[in-house]
Amino acid sequence: MPSGSDTPAPAVPGRGRRFMALVRREAPRTVLAVLSGLALALAFPPYDLWPLSLVGVAALGLLTRGRTARQGAWTGLAFGLPFFFVLLKWLHVVGWDAVFGLALVQALYTVLLGAGLAVTSRLKYAPVWAACLWVTEEWVRDRVPFGGFPWGRLAFANTGSPFTPLAALGGAPLVTFAVALSGALLAAAAAVLWRLRRGAGRSVRAALPAVEAVGLAAAVTVSGLLVPVHTDADDHVDIAVVQGNVQRPGMDFLGRPMQILDNHATATEQLAADVKAGKAKKPDLVIWPENASDLDPFRYPQAYDRIDEAVKAIGVPVLVGALVDHPDKPGYVFNQGIVWDPKKGPGASYTKQHPVPFGEYVPFREQLSKIITRFQRVPRDFYPGDRTGVLDIGSARLGDVICFEVAYDEIVHDTVDAGARALVVQTNNATYGRTGQPEQQLAMSKLRAVEHGRAVVTAATSGISAVVAPDGTVTHKIPEFTRGVLRASLPLRDEKTVADRVGALPEWALAIVGLLSCVAATVIGRRGRTKDEKGQQ
């Protein structure tokens, strides 16, 4: 007779079975998170469906509501990965693996955001803490690693919405906070209505919190319309922006040496001929884009002479974008904007402070280049500058910001604080032409115009070159891959906005509140569990 020890034990579900049960249980929520991330991506240029930024925020809030930190983290990943993949798909010209890799790195921040939203969803005034956490996520992502990557901030999807004027009070972080607060309030209203739908008390009183939340969301949304945006100018300067164009888009846009430089020089000389013939008014200054000279003019006499010929032909100072070899460090190059005078030649210059990691320099080059041979296409590292780009160009005191630097709050703020009366964004988007990236960058210029009360000139090698008025309105534009000269009377302003005066204070305050809300939720949760355990004893 078999002993009791020989009796078969009850079947216990294996680890694989438990995993599959988890997958089935979480699948609907995961699919909704993916769709919500895609919706948020469509809020950004080139789609510009800004109301979807509210939908995306609200959806992520609902999907993480009442969940554990681990569950919220998974939902954050499912939300963030498709969002960043669609937002950054312009990087496919480098490779779709690059798109996925960068999207995955950026989605790690939404993993933390999802966890934070989950643990704070049980707190009183949860929508406020949720909005602060969105600022916290952007605060960290804008700085870490390698100086951060600010693409995809909620503020950059709202450069032509009722939220936009709030930038004049607290910059991009305040716009993000307002958008996130409105979305979180809508999520709170939806949660109340869902409970009512399931029969948890259908009285008018039970529905009142939903009405209040929707009303507050609407009030926050239109609050920006009450913010005065000053556009009056102290004086003006007549400018000409030269978009010389490139021969072809993509990684190999440079073509043969001197080709892009000759494009810009020729367009400038044509403008000079029109001025001489009385067909056009002579500008006070001319602006060329980033990398307008593909050769170092101080090393290659032919480049120097070609620039000098064009500048002397127009007879006014020209801001020239050029790559300049580092004088003391072989293998390093400066990305510069150089003020070139028709009589004195090259003078003051600005060196880009924030080169793009893996695009303009390769961190850990020796190690990574052995693994990823594509990095060999970045043969030299760009050396960062150490000062703001405030330059006297003729009669105008302009602030130069080069390409991706327009995405970084502190660089633009410091430039205005140093005395820039208008901003110039020299950029070269030829690699990413017709991918949506130039539109995304122009949207940042629109937000900066409102934030600092300054006109912003975007000078692009292949487009989009544009002038943005201090109220964020695009007044002049040259489309992509078109050679042209943009003429405008540029307003110059000295008055500073509230955002200029407070600087990064609103961002730090909101980000720290977001972190503290997570700490508070964790402490309260532990106390609750401790009480439950004591009650069971």
Side-chain angles (χ1 to χ4, degrees), residues 420-442:
R421 307 183 72 199
L423 293 167
V424 174
V425 181
Q426 291 182 291
T427 187
N428 175 16
N429 292 325
T431 299
Y432 306 111
R434 299 193 182 100
T435 65
Q437 188 269 357
E439 289 90 342
Q440 291 177 6
Q441 191 171 323
L442 180 59

Side-chain angles (χ1 to χ4, degrees), residues 232-249:
D232 51 304
D234 296 298
D235 48 52
H236 291 76
V237 63
D238 291 328
I239 66 167
V241 179
V242 176
Q243 181 172 298
N245 203 11
V246 299
Q247 272 52 50
R248 58 181 179 274

Side-chain angles (χ1 to χ4, degrees), residues 6-36:
D6 294 331
T7 303
V12 178
R15 185 175 299 177
R17 186 178 299 178
R18 291 197 301 270
F19 176 75
M20 291 307 299
L22 175 65
V23 169
R24 286 193 295 270
R25 187 170 65 250
E26 292 296 321
R29 192 180 301 266
T30 300
V31 171
L32 289 174
V34 170
L35 295 176
S36 301

Side-chain angles (χ1 to χ4, degrees), residues 238-521:
D238 291 328
I239 66 167
V241 179
V242 176
Q243 181 172 298
N245 203 11
V246 299
Q247 272 52 50
R248 58 181 179 274
M251 292 289 289
D252 301 311
F253 68 89
L254 282 172
R256 60 176 175 78
M258 291 282 293
Q259 192 167 31
I260 292 178
L261 172 55
D262 192 61
N263 288 351
H264 288 83
T266 300
T268 303
E269 289 165 345
Q270 181 59 55
L271 172 62
D274 290 343
V275 170
K276 187 175 182 179
K279 298 179 181 178
K281 180 183 176 182
K282 187 175 184 178
D284 296 315
L285 59 95
V286 175
I287 300 171
W288 286 7
E290 176 190 26
N291 302 160
S293 177
D294 45 0
L295 295 177
D296 179 357
F298 304 109
R299 182 179 176 187
Y300 295 92
Q302 63 269 40
Y304 185 105
D305 293 342
R306 191 70 186 95
I307 296 171
D308 207 48
E309 289 170 3
V311 174
K312 286 180 177 177
I314 193 63
V316 298
V318 178
L319 180 62
V320 177
L323 298 180
V324 177
D325 294 336
H326 196 294
D328 304 318
K329 295 180 179 292
Y332 287 91
V333 63
F334 293 128
N335 188 353
Q336 289 190 333
I338 305 168
V339 179
W340 207 290
D341 187 84
K343 295 180 180 179
K344 300 177 183 178
S349 64
Y350 166 66
T351 301
K352 186 176 184 180
Q353 301 173 70
H354 198 306
V356 180
F358 305 105
E360 294 178 329
Y361 77 98
V362 180
F364 314 111
R365 173 183 288 275
E366 184 177 350
Q367 295 80 11
L368 291 179
S369 294
K370 296 176 182 178
I371 304 171
I372 306 175
T373 57
R374 189 182 302 156
F375 288 148
Q376 296 173 7
R377 301 193 70 173
V378 185
R380 299 184 296 174
D381 288 336
F382 284 31
Y383 199 86
D386 58 2
R387 65 192 66 180
T388 61
V390 178
L391 301 169
D392 291 315
I393 309 174
S395 59
R397 189 168 177 80
L398 305 181
D400 192 15
V401 176
I402 297 181
C403 200
F404 278 25
E405 289 185 325
V406 71
Y408 295 90
D409 294 349
E410 64 277 9
I411 291 178
V412 184
H413 172 268
D414 290 348
T415 303
V416 173
D417 195 52
R421 307 183 72 199
L423 293 167
V424 174
V425 181
Q426 291 182 291
T427 187
N428 175 16
N429 292 325
T431 299
Y432 306 111
R434 299 193 182 100
T435 65
Q437 188 269 357
E439 289 90 342
Q440 291 177 6
Q441 191 171 323
L442 180 59
M444 298 174 192
S445 294
K446 293 168 62 179
L447 187 77
R448 298 307 182 196
V450 176
E451 179 179 358
H452 300 290
R454 297 289 187 273
V456 180
V457 179
T458 298
T461 311
S462 58
I464 304 169
S465 295
V467 174
V468 183
D471 64 354
T473 304
V474 177
T475 60
H476 303 75
K477 185 163 65 172
I478 303 177
E480 290 186 84
F481 297 107
T482 303
R483 180 182 295 187
V485 176
L486 183 156
R487 301 294 307 273
S489 177
L490 189 70
L492 304 177
R493 302 188 74 245
D494 297 308
E495 182 183 355
K496 290 186 177 180
T497 63
V498 175
D500 290 323
R501 295 187 180 96
V502 300
L505 182 60
E507 181 181 29
W508 279 85
L510 293 169
I512 290 173
V513 169
L515 290 173
L516 291 177
S517 69
C518 289
V519 173

